[in-house]
Amino acid sequence: MIKLTDNISFIGKIDWERRTFHGEQMSTNEGSSFNAYFIKDEKNVVIDGVYKPFADEYIADIEENIGIENIDYIIALHAEPDHSSALLNLLELRPDIPIYCTAKGVESLKGYYHKEWNFKVIKTGDTLKLGNGTLTFIECPFLHWPDQMIVYYDIDKIIFSSDIFGQHYSTAFLYDNKVDKSRLEYEALKYYANIVSPFSSLVIKKLDEISKFNLDIKLIAPSHGVIWTNSEYILGKYTEWANTYAEEQVILVYDSMYGSTRRMAEYIAEGISEAKPNLCVKIFSLATADESDVVTEAFRSKAVLVGSPTYNGGLLTSVAGFLEELKGIKTKNKKAAAFGSYGWAAVSVKIINERLKAANFEVFEDANFNTTCNWRPNNDKANLLRNFGIAFANAL
Ligand code: FEO
């Protein structure tokens, strides 16, 4: 247990070793943490559990520093197993503890653990008096699960924000102002792009709703990563990211079997840079780049160009998977284009264009520029692709 304030302690677990999340779906190259908190008021409150592999350590920490018998309430902000699975161990020892959660939280917790615990369903605006301080609950459905909620504790002016405002970032420093700023900002952005972005329209509404509570917010304590002392920074960033967000950047993302599609990416990139020298242009091979990082780069870009050779009448699976990710994160107002080599059937560009449109991208196509390439680009094709890059950049 690590004391944060006179009333609040950290009872979570920093996972230095974690390199993936949601199974193998998302990379967590900086590790992560499963943040759980303890409030000591006249009532003793445990906020969230940790992931199952750390359940024994979580229980031992509570036994040593709090006493299982002394817990009055559990607050389950979110039922996803990375936060709830160790609660199973806690509740095996004390099944009577009241669990405050949303109605959807009850459904999800029962769905996972098949137990009839002492659930206390909360709604937005409900309060729970702890003695000196009071908890105020705000439901946050689909940020990022239907069960999600946040809770405000007035004594320390702190929001326990569940996954919202989180970062997969392991550090011995528990606060934003103690860690490498650029690393933290990137991890917060990566978290938003990969996990929260599909729900951006709800983020805008929820931030507006939270602001109407007129809470005096000094700290924001998410369930992954560091606690924000600079709450204005992360609230401002979420407002930016949830609206139409784009930096002065374009990325080209491809996979290639023998280098033809790679060369196409490079020629197009040359044209883009020639037309817009101050535009940041990055090229990623899905064979070697970290896909979650590429998704993050796509999220922050004005445009994404995607390339694949035609392979077995379709796309390379790395590119098909990336396009599925792009569709899932539901970006807005971004341009896109497709390119790719082929041997005997030029299919990939057509498929990529269809999938980019399905992913809500505005696809740039121009009959003057054939962005397929039979076998390997020659000088004429190289020039055409450069000119395509210029035309694409000028259309941004
Ligand atoms: Fe960190 Fe949605 O659980």
Side-chain angles (χ1 to χ4, degrees):
M1 188 160 93
I2 302 168
K3 202 168 171 61
L4 301 176
T5 70
D6 286 346
N7 305 288
I8 299 170
S9 298
F10 178 87
I11 54 169
K13 187 70 195 176
I14 296 165
D15 189 349
W16 305 94
E17 297 177 358
R18 181 153 298 278
R19 289 295 176 268
T20 63
F21 219 88
H22 292 155
E24 299 294 316
Q25 182 63 30
M26 180 182 174
S27 69
T28 53
N29 300 324
E30 297 279 347
S32 191
S33 65
F34 303 100
N35 299 350
Y37 301 95
F38 173 64
I39 301 176
K40 179 154 189 54
D41 202 311
E42 287 176 22
K43 297 292 185 184
N44 292 326
V45 181
V46 164
I47 300 180
D48 283 334
V50 296
Y51 192 28
K52 191 78 178 168
F54 303 109
D56 289 348
E57 294 166 48
Y58 170 77
I59 295 295
D61 190 20
I62 292 175
E63 279 178 332
E64 186 180 336
N65 295 295
I66 301 166
I68 304 288
E69 69 281 7
N70 295 323
I71 299 171
D72 294 300
Y73 308 131
I74 290 171
I75 309 291
L77 297 176
H78 174 34
E80 194 167 350
D82 54 326
H83 308 294
S84 68
S85 50
L87 290 179
L88 178 65
N89 300 58
L90 180 56
L91 288 157
E92 277 171 0
L93 299 170
R94 279 278 316 279
D96 60 303
I97 305 174
I99 306 170
Y100 288 79
C101 60
T102 62
K104 287 288 181 191
V106 175
E107 273 180 35
S108 303
L109 289 166
K110 281 187 179 177
Y112 269 112
Y113 306 113
H114 311 140
K115 302 282 186 189
E116 294 294 334
W117 287 320
N118 184 10
F119 293 110
K120 305 287 183 191
V121 174
I122 66 85
K123 287 194 164 55
T124 293
D126 286 355
T127 57
L128 179 63
K129 187 87 180 139
L130 301 183
N132 293 319
T134 301
L135 296 174
T136 302
F137 299 98
I138 302 174
E139 295 168 274
C140 295
F142 288 104
L143 297 180
H144 66 128
W145 272 27
D147 63 299
Q148 216 107 20
M149 67 177 186
I150 64 175
V151 66
Y152 178 75
Y153 180 57
D154 55 355
I155 295 288
D156 290 285
K157 304 182 186 344
I158 182 169
I159 284 183
F160 298 97
S161 64
S162 188
D163 282 343
I164 312 159
F165 311 122
Q167 335 91 47
H168 288 306
Y169 190 22
S170 57
T171 167
F173 297 114
L174 294 172
Y175 292 102
D176 57 344
N177 55 6
K178 302 266 191 178
V179 300
D180 181 280
K181 192 165 176 284
S182 62
R183 216 45 236 167
L184 173 62
E185 287 176 9
Y186 178 76
E187 291 303 328
L189 173 65
K190 179 174 176 178
Y191 192 97
Y192 187 95
N194 284 271
I195 293 175
V196 186
S197 173
F199 309 100
S200 281
S201 58
L202 298 174
V203 170
I204 295 165
K205 286 184 192 145
K206 189 52 65 176
L207 290 178
D208 187 48
E209 185 186 328
I210 292 170
S211 74
K212 289 182 178 139
F213 276 77
N214 289 320
L215 301 173
D216 182 5
I217 302 168
K218 192 170 144 204
L219 297 168
I220 296 179
S223 54
H224 300 286
V226 298
I227 297 167
W228 298 97
T229 58
N230 189 353
S231 55
E232 278 180 15
Y233 168 80
I234 194 62
L235 286 166
K237 280 293 172 192
Y238 263 56
T239 304
E240 275 184 51
W241 295 336
N243 284 286
T244 304
Y245 183 74
E247 298 174 20
E248 284 299 306
Q249 173 170 297
V250 168
I251 62 170
L252 298 99
V253 184
Y254 72 92
D255 202 352
S256 190
M257 290 184 282
Y258 293 103
S260 297
T261 299
R262 172 179 61 79
R263 289 300 284 145
M264 296 179 77
E266 291 164 348
Y267 293 133
I268 296 168
E270 285 172 19
I272 295 172
S273 292
E274 186 182 325
K276 296 265 175 82
N278 294 323
L279 188 65
C280 180
V281 180
K282 296 177 181 170
I283 302 178
F284 297 98
S285 160
L286 289 168
T288 55
D290 179 311
E291 190 170 312
S292 304
D293 285 327
V294 181
V295 167
T296 309
E297 294 293 344
F299 177 81
R300 74 200 307 187
S301 295
K302 298 176 86 156
V304 180
L305 296 96
V306 179
S308 172
T310 296
Y311 177 74
N312 287 344
L315 307 180
L316 289 176
T317 55
S318 55
V319 179
F322 175 69
L323 288 164
E324 189 66 15
E325 289 242 41
L326 279 190
K327 185 175 166 209
I329 66 168
K330 292 190 170 68
T331 60
K332 289 178 282 192
N333 276 12
K334 293 190 193 295
K335 285 201 163 53
F339 58 95
S341 65
Y342 68 98
W344 50 98
V347 175
S348 63
V349 167
K350 182 170 176 289
I351 297 174
I352 293 169
N353 276 335
E354 284 167 2
R355 295 196 185 167
L356 286 169
K357 285 171 190 165
N360 204 30
F361 282 82
E362 186 186 326
V363 174
F364 179 82
E365 292 174 280
D366 187 326
N368 294 316
F369 302 106
N370 177 0
T371 57
T372 66
C373 175
N374 195 207
W375 304 120
R376 191 165 180 81
N378 57 19
N379 286 342
D380 286 346
K381 187 54 111 176
N383 284 330
L384 180 141
L385 291 169
R386 286 189 192 98
N387 287 330
F388 171 73
I390 291 169
F392 184 82
N394 286 333
L396 290 176

